Amino acid sequence: MTRHHIALVPGDGIGTEVLPPAQQVLDTVGARHGIAFSYTSYDWSCERYLREGAMMPPDGLDQLREKDAILLGAVGYPGVPDHVSLWGLLIPIRRGFRQYVNLRPIRVFEGVDSPLRGAAAHEVEFVVVRENVEGEYSEIGGRLNRGTPEEIAVQEAVFTRAGVTRVLDFAFDLAARRGGVLTSATKSNGIVHTMPFWDELVAERATVHPQVSWDQEHIDALAAKFVLGPARFDVVVASNLFGDILSDLAAAVAGSIGIAPAANLNPERTHPSMFEPVHGSAPDIAGRGIANPLGAVWSAAMMLDHLGHPAAAKDVTDAIAAVLAKTDVRTPDLGGIATTAEFTDKLLELL
Ligand code: NAD
Ligand code: IPM
Ligand code: MN
Protein backbone atom coordinates (compact mmCIF):
# COMPACT_ATOMS: atom_id res chain seq x y z
CA MET A 1 0.00 0.00 0.00
CA THR A 2 1.43 3.36 -1.08
CA ARG A 3 0.34 6.37 0.94
CA HIS A 4 0.24 9.95 -0.31
CA HIS A 5 -0.31 13.09 1.71
CA ILE A 6 -2.51 15.49 -0.18
CA ALA A 7 -3.25 19.11 0.67
CA LEU A 8 -6.81 20.08 -0.18
CA VAL A 9 -7.49 23.76 -0.80
CA PRO A 10 -11.14 24.00 -1.90
CA GLY A 11 -10.99 27.82 -1.95
CA ASP A 12 -14.06 29.74 -3.09
CA GLY A 13 -17.42 29.28 -4.78
CA ILE A 14 -17.75 26.06 -6.74
CA GLY A 15 -14.19 25.18 -5.75
CA THR A 16 -15.75 23.85 -2.53
CA GLU A 17 -18.34 21.88 -4.55
CA VAL A 18 -16.02 20.16 -7.03
CA LEU A 19 -13.26 19.08 -4.65
CA PRO A 20 -15.31 16.52 -2.66
CA PRO A 21 -16.17 14.61 -5.89
CA ALA A 22 -12.47 14.56 -6.79
CA GLN A 23 -11.68 13.20 -3.34
CA GLN A 24 -14.37 10.48 -3.64
CA VAL A 25 -12.94 9.44 -6.98
CA LEU A 26 -9.41 9.29 -5.56
CA ASP A 27 -10.52 7.13 -2.65
CA THR A 28 -12.49 4.77 -4.88
CA VAL A 29 -9.76 4.28 -7.46
CA GLY A 30 -7.08 4.25 -4.77
CA ALA A 31 -8.77 1.32 -2.99
CA ARG A 32 -8.55 -0.73 -6.18
CA HIS A 33 -4.93 0.14 -6.90
CA GLY A 34 -3.50 -0.12 -3.40
CA ILE A 35 -3.07 3.62 -2.95
CA ALA A 36 -4.12 5.33 0.27
CA PHE A 37 -4.53 9.06 0.64
CA SER A 38 -4.27 11.17 3.78
CA TYR A 39 -5.81 14.57 3.32
CA THR A 40 -5.19 17.81 5.12
CA SER A 41 -7.81 20.41 4.32
CA TYR A 42 -7.12 24.14 4.41
CA ASP A 43 -9.87 26.76 4.60
CA TRP A 44 -7.80 29.33 2.73
CA SER A 45 -10.26 31.45 0.80
CA CYS A 46 -11.88 34.85 0.37
CA GLU A 47 -14.05 33.99 3.38
CA ARG A 48 -10.89 33.60 5.45
CA TYR A 49 -9.60 36.88 4.05
CA LEU A 50 -12.73 38.71 5.19
CA ARG A 51 -12.47 37.06 8.63
CA GLU A 52 -8.73 37.26 9.25
CA GLY A 53 -7.32 39.71 6.73
CA ALA A 54 -5.27 37.17 4.76
CA MET A 55 -6.04 34.45 2.23
CA MET A 56 -3.63 32.09 3.98
CA PRO A 57 -1.48 32.23 7.12
CA PRO A 58 2.04 33.65 6.87
CA ASP A 59 3.53 30.13 7.03
CA GLY A 60 1.02 28.82 4.46
CA LEU A 61 3.59 27.62 1.96
CA ASP A 62 5.53 25.87 4.72
CA GLN A 63 2.40 23.94 5.67
CA LEU A 64 2.11 22.69 2.09
CA ARG A 65 5.78 22.07 1.47
CA GLU A 66 5.98 18.52 2.81
CA LYS A 67 2.82 17.32 1.06
CA ASP A 68 3.05 15.05 -1.97
CA ALA A 69 0.66 17.21 -3.98
CA ILE A 70 -1.94 19.95 -3.71
CA LEU A 71 -5.50 19.70 -5.00
CA LEU A 72 -7.10 23.11 -5.38
CA GLY A 73 -10.67 24.12 -6.23
CA ALA A 74 -10.74 27.77 -7.24
CA VAL A 75 -9.71 31.11 -5.79
CA GLY A 76 -11.58 34.41 -5.99
CA TYR A 77 -15.00 35.68 -5.07
CA PRO A 78 -16.97 38.93 -5.33
CA GLY A 79 -16.36 41.01 -2.19
CA VAL A 80 -12.61 40.55 -2.31
CA PRO A 81 -10.77 42.15 -5.24
CA ASP A 82 -9.29 39.49 -7.51
CA HIS A 83 -5.80 40.95 -7.28
CA VAL A 84 -5.97 40.45 -3.50
CA SER A 85 -7.23 36.87 -3.58
CA LEU A 86 -4.99 35.73 -6.41
CA TRP A 87 -1.76 37.36 -5.27
CA GLY A 88 -2.65 36.17 -1.77
CA LEU A 89 -2.99 32.46 -2.52
CA LEU A 90 -2.90 31.05 -6.05
CA ILE A 91 0.07 32.92 -7.48
CA PRO A 92 2.32 32.51 -4.40
CA ILE A 93 1.84 28.73 -4.58
CA ARG A 94 2.61 28.58 -8.31
CA ARG A 95 5.68 30.76 -7.89
CA GLY A 96 6.86 29.66 -4.47
CA PHE A 97 6.83 26.02 -5.52
CA ARG A 98 8.37 26.72 -8.93
CA GLN A 99 5.41 25.25 -10.77
CA TYR A 100 6.58 26.77 -14.00
CA VAL A 101 4.65 24.41 -16.26
CA ASN A 102 0.88 24.56 -16.43
CA LEU A 103 -0.25 21.52 -18.37
CA ARG A 104 -3.78 21.77 -19.76
CA PRO A 105 -5.04 18.87 -21.87
CA ILE A 106 -8.04 19.23 -24.17
CA ARG A 107 -10.16 16.42 -25.46
CA VAL A 108 -13.56 16.33 -27.11
CA PHE A 109 -15.25 13.39 -25.42
CA GLU A 110 -17.79 11.30 -27.25
CA GLY A 111 -21.24 12.26 -26.07
CA VAL A 112 -20.31 15.89 -25.48
CA ASP A 113 -22.04 18.38 -27.67
CA SER A 114 -19.06 20.45 -28.70
CA PRO A 115 -19.72 23.60 -30.71
CA LEU A 116 -17.47 21.95 -33.31
CA ARG A 117 -19.44 20.28 -36.03
CA GLY A 118 -18.67 17.09 -37.86
CA ALA A 119 -16.57 14.03 -37.40
CA ALA A 120 -13.36 15.97 -36.81
CA ALA A 121 -14.60 17.02 -33.37
CA HIS A 122 -13.70 13.69 -31.85
CA GLU A 123 -10.19 13.83 -33.21
CA VAL A 124 -9.44 16.82 -31.00
CA GLU A 125 -6.96 15.77 -28.36
CA PHE A 126 -4.12 18.11 -27.60
CA VAL A 127 -2.39 19.82 -24.73
CA VAL A 128 -1.52 23.41 -23.93
CA VAL A 129 1.77 23.90 -22.11
CA ARG A 130 1.44 27.26 -20.41
CA GLU A 131 4.38 29.12 -18.88
CA ASN A 132 3.15 29.57 -15.32
CA VAL A 133 5.37 31.87 -13.25
CA GLU A 134 6.56 34.83 -15.32
CA GLY A 135 5.78 36.63 -18.56
CA GLU A 136 2.82 38.97 -18.63
CA TYR A 137 1.90 38.04 -15.03
CA SER A 138 4.47 40.25 -13.38
CA GLU A 139 4.37 42.32 -10.24
CA ILE A 140 6.18 45.15 -11.96
CA GLY A 141 3.97 48.04 -12.83
CA GLY A 142 1.43 50.28 -11.23
CA ARG A 143 -0.97 53.14 -11.61
CA LEU A 144 -0.34 56.85 -11.54
CA ASN A 145 -2.66 59.83 -11.21
CA ARG A 146 -5.60 57.67 -10.16
CA GLY A 147 -8.98 59.04 -11.11
CA THR A 148 -7.54 61.99 -13.04
CA PRO A 149 -7.65 62.58 -16.80
CA GLU A 150 -3.87 61.90 -16.74
CA GLU A 151 -4.26 58.44 -15.24
CA ILE A 152 -1.79 55.81 -16.47
CA ALA A 153 -1.55 52.08 -15.83
CA VAL A 154 1.69 50.28 -16.70
CA GLN A 155 2.47 46.58 -16.67
CA GLU A 156 5.92 45.18 -17.46
CA ALA A 157 6.04 41.68 -18.93
CA VAL A 158 9.13 39.80 -17.73
CA PHE A 159 10.54 37.01 -19.88
CA THR A 160 13.82 35.48 -18.78
CA ARG A 161 16.07 33.25 -20.87
CA ALA A 162 16.09 30.64 -18.10
CA GLY A 163 12.34 30.82 -17.53
CA VAL A 164 11.39 30.53 -21.19
CA THR A 165 14.01 27.88 -21.96
CA ARG A 166 12.84 25.48 -19.24
CA VAL A 167 9.18 25.57 -20.26
CA LEU A 168 10.11 25.21 -23.93
CA ASP A 169 12.28 22.20 -23.13
CA PHE A 170 9.38 20.65 -21.24
CA ALA A 171 7.09 21.24 -24.22
CA PHE A 172 9.59 19.86 -26.75
CA ASP A 173 10.11 16.76 -24.59
CA LEU A 174 6.37 16.26 -24.30
CA ALA A 175 5.94 16.68 -28.06
CA ALA A 176 8.69 14.11 -28.63
CA ARG A 177 6.77 11.60 -26.47
CA ARG A 178 3.47 12.37 -28.24
CA GLY A 179 2.97 13.17 -31.92
CA GLY A 180 6.30 14.92 -32.51
CA VAL A 181 4.73 18.26 -33.41
CA LEU A 182 4.93 21.48 -31.40
CA THR A 183 3.13 24.77 -32.06
CA SER A 184 4.39 27.92 -30.41
CA ALA A 185 1.92 30.72 -29.70
CA THR A 186 3.49 34.05 -30.50
CA LYS A 187 2.94 37.66 -31.50
CA SER A 188 6.19 38.28 -33.23
CA ASN A 189 5.02 40.77 -35.76
CA GLY A 190 7.06 43.59 -34.33
CA ILE A 191 4.65 45.12 -31.83
CA VAL A 192 5.70 43.57 -28.52
CA HIS A 193 9.36 43.23 -27.54
CA THR A 194 9.04 40.00 -25.65
CA MET A 195 7.73 37.75 -28.39
CA PRO A 196 10.65 37.98 -30.84
CA PHE A 197 12.78 36.90 -27.85
CA TRP A 198 10.40 33.97 -27.20
CA ASP A 199 10.60 33.03 -30.90
CA GLU A 200 14.42 33.10 -30.89
CA LEU A 201 14.46 30.78 -27.91
CA VAL A 202 11.98 28.41 -29.58
CA ALA A 203 14.25 28.22 -32.63
CA GLU A 204 17.27 27.71 -30.38
CA ARG A 205 15.67 24.90 -28.33
CA ALA A 206 14.40 23.26 -31.51
CA THR A 207 18.00 22.52 -32.43
CA VAL A 208 18.31 20.54 -29.19
CA HIS A 209 15.14 18.55 -29.97
CA PRO A 210 15.59 17.70 -33.66
CA GLN A 211 13.05 14.86 -33.49
CA VAL A 212 10.24 17.40 -33.01
CA SER A 213 8.90 19.41 -35.93
CA TRP A 214 7.59 22.79 -34.88
CA ASP A 215 5.87 25.85 -36.15
CA GLN A 216 4.62 29.10 -34.72
CA GLU A 217 1.32 30.92 -35.03
CA HIS A 218 0.36 34.44 -34.10
CA ILE A 219 -1.91 34.27 -31.09
CA ASP A 220 -4.82 35.94 -32.88
CA ALA A 221 -4.69 33.58 -35.85
CA LEU A 222 -4.10 30.66 -33.49
CA ALA A 223 -7.27 31.51 -31.57
CA ALA A 224 -9.20 31.30 -34.84
CA LYS A 225 -7.57 27.97 -35.72
CA PHE A 226 -8.50 26.55 -32.32
CA VAL A 227 -12.10 27.06 -33.41
CA LEU A 228 -11.83 26.24 -37.11
CA GLY A 229 -9.43 23.30 -37.07
CA PRO A 230 -8.33 22.18 -33.60
CA ALA A 231 -7.78 18.56 -34.66
CA ARG A 232 -4.39 19.45 -36.17
CA PHE A 233 -2.82 20.44 -32.82
CA ASP A 234 -0.80 18.17 -30.58
CA VAL A 235 1.29 20.25 -28.16
CA VAL A 236 0.87 24.01 -28.01
CA VAL A 237 3.33 26.03 -25.94
CA ALA A 238 2.40 29.53 -24.84
CA SER A 239 3.35 32.34 -22.50
CA ASN A 240 1.44 32.83 -19.25
CA LEU A 241 -1.33 35.11 -20.55
CA PHE A 242 -1.59 33.59 -24.01
CA GLY A 243 -1.77 30.13 -22.45
CA ASP A 244 -4.45 31.26 -20.01
CA ILE A 245 -6.69 32.53 -22.79
CA LEU A 246 -6.02 29.61 -25.12
CA SER A 247 -6.86 27.08 -22.42
CA ASP A 248 -10.34 28.50 -21.74
CA LEU A 249 -10.92 28.79 -25.46
CA ALA A 250 -9.87 25.21 -26.07
CA ALA A 251 -11.98 24.02 -23.15
CA ALA A 252 -15.04 25.77 -24.53
CA VAL A 253 -14.40 24.35 -27.98
CA ALA A 254 -14.28 20.92 -26.35
CA GLY A 255 -17.75 21.47 -24.92
CA SER A 256 -17.44 23.10 -21.48
CA ILE A 257 -14.86 24.80 -19.36
CA GLY A 258 -16.25 22.64 -16.55
CA ILE A 259 -14.34 19.61 -17.91
CA ALA A 260 -10.87 21.07 -18.41
CA PRO A 261 -8.10 20.13 -15.95
CA ALA A 262 -4.76 21.66 -15.12
CA ALA A 263 -1.51 20.46 -13.61
CA ASN A 264 0.77 23.14 -12.19
CA LEU A 265 3.98 21.17 -12.33
CA ASN A 266 7.29 21.54 -10.60
CA PRO A 267 9.10 19.22 -13.02
CA GLU A 268 12.19 18.91 -10.81
CA ARG A 269 9.99 17.68 -7.93
CA THR A 270 11.83 19.82 -5.41
CA HIS A 271 8.39 21.17 -4.42
CA PRO A 272 4.85 19.82 -4.54
CA SER A 273 2.87 20.25 -7.73
CA MET A 274 -0.70 21.54 -7.72
CA PHE A 275 -3.73 20.18 -9.57
CA GLU A 276 -6.83 22.28 -10.17
CA PRO A 277 -9.57 22.65 -12.74
CA VAL A 278 -9.04 25.35 -15.37
CA HIS A 279 -12.27 27.08 -14.38
CA GLY A 280 -12.75 29.57 -11.56
CA SER A 281 -15.14 29.88 -8.65
CA ALA A 282 -18.17 30.56 -10.90
CA PRO A 283 -20.06 32.90 -8.55
CA ASP A 284 -23.00 32.84 -10.98
CA ILE A 285 -23.77 29.19 -10.15
CA ALA A 286 -22.05 28.75 -6.77
CA GLY A 287 -24.17 27.30 -3.96
CA ARG A 288 -26.65 25.62 -6.29
CA GLY A 289 -24.97 22.22 -6.41
CA ILE A 290 -24.89 22.12 -10.21
CA ALA A 291 -21.20 22.65 -10.97
CA ASN A 292 -19.58 20.16 -13.32
CA PRO A 293 -17.10 18.16 -11.22
CA LEU A 294 -15.21 16.65 -14.17
CA GLY A 295 -12.54 19.37 -14.36
CA ALA A 296 -11.61 18.69 -10.76
CA VAL A 297 -11.86 14.92 -11.22
CA TRP A 298 -9.66 14.95 -14.32
CA SER A 299 -7.19 17.16 -12.43
CA ALA A 300 -7.10 14.47 -9.73
CA ALA A 301 -6.32 11.94 -12.48
CA MET A 302 -3.40 14.12 -13.57
CA MET A 303 -2.26 14.09 -9.96
CA LEU A 304 -2.38 10.27 -9.91
CA ASP A 305 -0.24 10.22 -13.02
CA HIS A 306 2.23 12.65 -11.45
CA LEU A 307 2.41 10.53 -8.31
CA GLY A 308 3.35 7.48 -10.37
CA HIS A 309 -0.02 5.77 -10.84
CA PRO A 310 -0.77 5.92 -14.58
CA ALA A 311 -3.11 2.89 -14.47
CA ALA A 312 -5.25 4.47 -11.76
CA ALA A 313 -5.23 7.76 -13.69
CA LYS A 314 -6.43 5.95 -16.80
CA ASP A 315 -9.27 4.31 -14.85
CA VAL A 316 -10.45 7.80 -13.94
CA THR A 317 -10.25 9.25 -17.45
CA ASP A 318 -11.93 6.08 -18.79
CA ALA A 319 -14.76 6.59 -16.30
CA ILE A 320 -15.10 10.22 -17.43
CA ALA A 321 -15.27 9.07 -21.05
CA ALA A 322 -17.80 6.37 -20.12
CA VAL A 323 -20.15 8.61 -18.17
CA LEU A 324 -20.24 11.01 -21.12
CA ALA A 325 -20.50 8.43 -23.90
CA LYS A 326 -22.81 5.90 -22.26
CA THR A 327 -25.19 7.89 -20.10
CA ASP A 328 -27.21 11.04 -20.38
CA VAL A 329 -26.52 12.03 -16.79
CA ARG A 330 -24.72 15.38 -16.91
CA THR A 331 -24.72 18.84 -15.38
CA PRO A 332 -26.45 21.85 -17.01
CA ASP A 333 -23.25 23.20 -18.61
CA LEU A 334 -23.32 20.02 -20.72
CA GLY A 335 -27.00 20.33 -21.48
CA GLY A 336 -28.21 18.02 -18.69
CA ILE A 337 -30.24 18.45 -15.54
CA ALA A 338 -28.12 16.46 -13.05
CA THR A 339 -26.69 17.92 -9.89
CA THR A 340 -22.99 17.71 -9.05
CA ALA A 341 -23.80 14.86 -6.63
CA GLU A 342 -25.87 12.88 -9.16
CA PHE A 343 -23.21 13.26 -11.83
CA THR A 344 -20.54 12.18 -9.37
CA ASP A 345 -22.56 9.13 -8.27
CA LYS A 346 -22.96 7.99 -11.86
CA LEU A 347 -19.24 8.48 -12.46
CA LEU A 348 -18.36 6.47 -9.34
CA GLU A 349 -20.71 3.71 -10.48
CA LEU A 350 -18.77 3.44 -13.76
CA LEU A 351 -15.35 3.71 -12.15
P1 NAD B 1 -15.23 31.06 -14.08
O1 NAD B 1 -14.43 29.98 -14.70
O2 NAD B 1 -15.41 30.99 -12.63
O3 NAD B 1 -16.68 31.09 -14.77
C1 NAD B 1 -16.89 31.35 -16.16
C2 NAD B 1 -18.23 30.74 -16.61
O4 NAD B 1 -18.10 29.31 -16.70
C3 NAD B 1 -19.38 31.00 -15.65
O5 NAD B 1 -20.56 31.21 -16.37
C4 NAD B 1 -19.47 29.71 -14.84
O6 NAD B 1 -20.75 29.42 -14.35
C5 NAD B 1 -19.04 28.67 -15.87
N1 NAD B 1 -18.36 27.54 -15.20
C6 NAD B 1 -17.10 27.54 -14.72
N2 NAD B 1 -16.82 26.37 -14.15
C7 NAD B 1 -17.91 25.59 -14.26
C8 NAD B 1 -18.23 24.27 -13.85
N3 NAD B 1 -17.35 23.48 -13.20
N4 NAD B 1 -19.47 23.81 -14.12
C9 NAD B 1 -20.37 24.56 -14.77
N5 NAD B 1 -20.12 25.83 -15.19
C10 NAD B 1 -18.91 26.34 -14.93
O7 NAD B 1 -14.53 32.43 -14.52
P2 NAD B 1 -14.80 33.94 -14.04
O8 NAD B 1 -16.26 34.17 -13.91
O9 NAD B 1 -14.01 34.75 -14.95
O10 NAD B 1 -14.13 34.04 -12.62
C11 NAD B 1 -14.81 33.93 -11.38
C12 NAD B 1 -13.81 34.03 -10.25
O11 NAD B 1 -12.94 32.91 -10.29
C13 NAD B 1 -12.92 35.26 -10.30
O12 NAD B 1 -12.70 35.69 -8.99
C14 NAD B 1 -11.64 34.75 -10.93
O13 NAD B 1 -10.52 35.52 -10.59
C15 NAD B 1 -11.58 33.37 -10.32
N6 NAD B 1 -10.80 32.39 -11.08
C16 NAD B 1 -9.97 31.56 -10.37
C17 NAD B 1 -9.28 30.56 -11.01
C18 NAD B 1 -8.38 29.67 -10.21
O14 NAD B 1 -8.45 29.63 -9.01
N7 NAD B 1 -7.51 28.92 -10.84
C19 NAD B 1 -9.44 30.38 -12.38
C20 NAD B 1 -10.28 31.24 -13.08
C21 NAD B 1 -10.97 32.24 -12.42
C1 IPM C 1 -6.32 30.24 -14.34
C2 IPM C 1 -6.90 31.53 -13.84
C3 IPM C 1 -5.81 32.36 -13.17
C4 IPM C 1 -4.73 32.63 -14.18
C5 IPM C 1 -6.31 33.68 -12.60
C6 IPM C 1 -7.46 33.47 -11.68
C7 IPM C 1 -5.20 34.44 -11.99
O1 IPM C 1 -7.54 32.21 -14.85
O2 IPM C 1 -5.80 29.46 -13.53
O3 IPM C 1 -6.40 29.98 -15.53
O4 IPM C 1 -4.89 33.50 -15.05
O5 IPM C 1 -3.71 31.98 -14.10
MN1 MN D 1 -7.70 31.08 -16.68
Side-chain angles (χ1 to χ4, degrees):
M1 177 78 82
T2 319
R3 179 170 292 277
H4 295 294
H5 291 88
I6 307 299
L8 296 177
V9 185
D12 297 302
I14 65 165
T16 63
E17 300 171 33
V18 297
L19 232 50
Q23 201 180 342
Q24 280 177 282
V25 164
L26 283 173
D27 288 336
T28 305
V29 79
R32 181 174 336 131
H33 287 268
I35 314 160
F37 297 97
S38 326
Y39 303 100
T40 311
S41 210
Y42 300 88
D43 71 343
W44 304 345
S45 57
C46 288
E47 220 172 280
R48 183 185 192 278
Y49 179 85
L50 293 172
R51 212 173 51 233
E52 306 189 25
M55 293 293 293
M56 63 175 167
D59 69 343
L61 291 191
D62 290 327
Q63 295 189 38
L64 302 179
R65 202 176 298 278
E66 299 309 321
K67 303 291 185 291
D68 296 319
I70 304 158
L71 203 53
L72 183 130
V75 178
Y77 214 69
V80 177
D82 278 341
H83 70 269
V84 170
S85 54
L86 297 167
W87 285 106
L89 180 52
L90 185 68
I91 305 294
I93 298 176
R94 288 180 179 169
R95 294 187 177 201
F97 291 160
R98 300 184 197 167
Q99 296 163 350
Y100 61 82
V101 170
N102 196 330
L103 204 58
R104 296 182 155 187
I106 288 91
R107 176 171 161 193
V108 179
F109 286 96
E110 197 187 326
V112 171
D113 193 13
S114 150
L116 299 172
R117 293 283 168 254
H122 294 293
E123 288 157 25
V124 176
E125 206 267 298
F126 66 97
V127 53
V128 174
V129 176
R130 171 188 177 189
E131 200 292 318
N132 208 35
V133 296
E134 57 171 53
E136 304 88 345
Y137 284 38
S138 93
E139 286 165 278
I140 305 171
R143 290 171 61 176
L144 286 175
N145 309 327
R146 272 184 194 248
T148 73
E150 291 78 34
E151 183 159 5
I152 305 174
V154 177
Q155 175 87 25
E156 295 274 17
V158 179
F159 288 73
T160 65
R161 177 174 283 273
V164 175
T165 298
R166 64 189 179 183
V167 74
L168 291 178
D169 282 339
F170 184 96
F172 272 110
D173 283 338
L174 184 63
R177 292 196 304 277
R178 291 176 49 110
V181 182
L182 178 70
T183 304
S184 167
T186 185
K187 186 73 185 173
S188 49
N189 38 6
I191 309 299
V192 284
H193 301 297
T194 48
M195 280 297 141
F197 177 49
W198 172 279
D199 296 342
E200 279 169 35
L201 291 174
V202 174
E204 182 186 302
R205 299 323 292 169
T207 64
V208 184
H209 307 269
Q211 68 280 41
V212 175
S213 70
W214 64 280
D215 61 359
Q216 59 187 43
E217 298 274 3
H218 292 134
I219 183 68
D220 44 356
L222 184 58
K225 287 181 186 178
F226 266 34
V227 176
L228 296 174
R232 60 169 274 226
F233 296 108
D234 183 25
V235 180
V236 178
V237 66
S239 64
N240 208 334
L241 181 62
F242 288 176
D244 177 45
I245 297 167
L246 286 177
S247 51
D248 267 37
L249 176 61
V253 160
S256 171
I257 80 163
I259 298 180
N264 300 263
L265 297 178
N266 168 243
E268 290 74 25
R269 296 175 185 257
T270 52
H271 298 75
S273 292
M274 175 165 68
F275 301 82
E276 54 164 341
V278 164
H279 66 73
S281 60
D284 56 339
I285 59 162
R288 292 168 53 198
I290 56 163
N292 186 338
L294 295 186
V297 168
W298 191 355
S299 301
M302 294 184 83
M303 183 180 90
L304 286 168
D305 214 11
H306 176 77
L307 294 174
H309 308 292
K314 184 165 185 307
D315 281 1
V316 176
T317 46
D318 285 352
I320 293 174
V323 80
L324 293 169
K326 297 188 183 139
T327 83
D328 55 9
V329 179
R330 58 204 64 217
T331 41
D333 59 301
L334 292 171
I337 52 163
T339 62
T340 307
E342 289 161 352
F343 199 18
T344 304
D345 286 346
K346 184 53 84 177
L347 180 75
L348 290 168
E349 205 181 294
L350 291 167
L351 187 62

